[in-house]
Amino acid sequence: MTEQTTWIGTSWKMTKTLAEARAYARVLAGCDWAPGIRPFVIPPATAIATVAEVLSPGGAVLVGAQDAHWEDEGAWTGEVSVPQVKDAGARLLEIGHSERRAHFAETDERVNLKVHAALRHGLLPLVCVGETAQQRAAGAALDTVTAQVRAALAGVPATTRVLLAYEPVWAIGEHGTPATPEQVRDVVTAIARVAGPARPVLYGGSVSLDNARDLLDLPQVSGLFVGRAAWDAGGFLALADLAAQPAPQAPGGPYS
């Protein structure tokens, strides 16, 4: 039987100096990861090369970039390209985070362009999708999220691996409200149905040690995309250790 991969990752957003990034990466570099755990970290662009150097190319921990332009080069002042972040050591590209959608005009069309750019250069896309509180209240969560998934994957062969991260907008950030497993279940099931078997679905949004086990136990959740709870290396490792533990058996199961 093929061992299931559990993805555990974090984006540092706009935090950490080079010294702080290097110290964090050194902790991860000294770890022996449990079988089946696939860790990844996404530093700010300024620290990609530093973190990638500490973690070594081809190492167990994937290094990502928080964004990149869809064009390979050109007059795009302030932007970085996929070839540039790859050259710095990124092997994964985060695309379509709700903060970029809300504040930086990240449309579904641009998300799709970036997915194709990442794949063109051999990076693994990590596409973030999620509904706002207003969309959920209106009963439009499933339609909103599945539309985002379909748009992101337009023109991508069904067998091409892409990671999807379900991050309800109302659940992320310092003031987010943690989602219950019941609120997550139907959405991740719909994402998996639309995306297909080659696309693992992660969950992100106020993830903590208190709720991580329940989220990981959902059948369609293949990992966690963590924010503040993993900005400290110890927090990241604690979540990875939890993910490596066997799921508790339901009453009447083989070990009851």
Side-chain angles (χ1 to χ4, degrees), residues 67-70 93 95 106 110-118:
D67 187 45
H69 201 277
W70 59 87
L93 181 63
I95 303 169
E106 188 89 315
R110 290 183 178 182
V111 168
N112 180 251
L113 288 170
K114 292 180 180 185
V115 169
H116 284 277

Side-chain angles (χ1 to χ4, degrees), residues 3 13 27 93 117 147 149 162 169 173:
E3 187 171 47
K13 304 200 178 197
V27 175
L93 181 63
V149 173
V162 175
V169 179

